[in-house]
Amino acid sequence: MAHASLPPELLILISKYFTPEEALAPSLACRFWHSVFTTVVWRCYTIKPRKTSPTIETRTKNAHHVRELHYLGTQLTVEDDLVVPYTRLTNLWFLTSYNDSVDNEQLWIRLTQLIARNQELQEAVISDPVAGAPVELWQTVISLPVLRTLEIRDVCMQMKHWEAIWNGCKGLRTLRMYNMHSWDRLKINDEVMEKHTELESMTLQDSHYLPLLKHCPNLRHVSWENRANSALFLKMLAVYLSEGRLGQLERLHTRNADDRMLASTLKAMNQIKELSVQDGKIEDLSLQALTQHFTTLQVLTLPTNMNNAGDFVSTVLASCPKLTTFTAPMVTATEIIDGEPWVCSSLTNFDIIIEIEDAEEDKIRNQSREIFGRLSSLTYLTELRIRSFDTLSAPTLQGLEFRLESGLGQLSTLTQLKLLDFSGTIQNMSVDDVKWIRDSWKRIELVLGKCNEHGLFQDQPGIAS
């Protein structure tokens, strides 16, 4: 269709579905398309190390298109870009480290001015690894009228300044704090801390700031991103829950969890929609406590080093009807086959390591066929990962055999599948098997793993990559 016959309103609507990278080519087609797609090209502007940036003149000319501005990387020289007249930003990331080749005091002044010019900012992510940011910068941040997400990284400030930030950002929905430190080593003064009734999500990494949780009565999601002090985090969380302070909490992420403390927290929560445990030892106490939330559970991530996880994984699959995302530890094919029928028909993302214990070819095929039968009921799956721990070296895990003669054809029901990952598992696919994957899963975008001893999916003879 010629561009002249395409209504401008329709072209503008179509352009909204393009990424900045995809919009670059159509922006060069003609003047009209350039005027439409340039807005998309400049919607998100990122400065990274070793990335060639447009001239100041070009950036200034297109500044009014930029909505998301990201400074990412180390030793960036960004002081010239900070004077570009960006005035319509909704998202600002300033994640860069100390650069001894520039006047850092002047840099902070310009960053403060940039923030002050953009009163429509909804998300701000700021890193200050050398504690050079002036108080004026934070005062400018907390004065933003529609700021909803604030992420602070590598920041060291006096506790009274942090208390001012907390009390000033009353409209926040999301707060993320990584590697926060206090110059004066003072504890939070509960008497001066105001309640944040709008805050719904909080990420913490330092135990000094755990008391903030009790000032967030409507918190729905909390994430602990520190392998240390996880027991203290869970203990304090359980106390606040038992006191009725966090009655809305329904999503929990933690690292290196202690089984007893995690169980206490799970028992105290009214409901759980999402639980993610990275590392740690989840054992009988936590697993038993989690069963009371099976009817509401939607997202579950379990640590890969769980002992005797097979029975519990089978129980989850047979007991959680609302589950949409499940990242499971290693189980054996026998444990899956002997389990109850699955009820998690809404599952869209499934990541599991399944080991077939017997090396006999017939048994591998029979067990693969039975498990493919189970998988065929997950008709909403978009991502399926059935892989090994080690995905970099030569395949060593005897997993499911993705072959038509092993029941692969049963997976024709997975019409929504976009990603298949069997990396690290031993496969011996034929060209017909690979063609079936290509032809049956029309939406497939990525296949990870070696199909056979010859190589990857796109390397198979007669198969277009």
Side-chain angles (χ1 to χ4, degrees), residues 157-159 180-187 206 208:
M157 66 175 70
Q158 294 183 44
M159 185 57 73
M180 288 278 292
H181 301 286
S182 171
W183 275 352
D184 41 29
R185 296 291 178 182
L186 294 178
K187 294 183 179 180
D206 192 306
H208 284 89

Side-chain angles (χ1 to χ4, degrees), residues 167-186:
N167 291 333
C169 294
K170 298 305 290 290
L172 285 182
R173 302 291 191 275
T174 302
L175 175 63
R176 299 187 290 264
M177 301 164 59
Y178 297 93
N179 200 23
M180 288 278 292
H181 301 286
S182 171
W183 275 352
D184 41 29
R185 296 291 178 182
L186 294 178

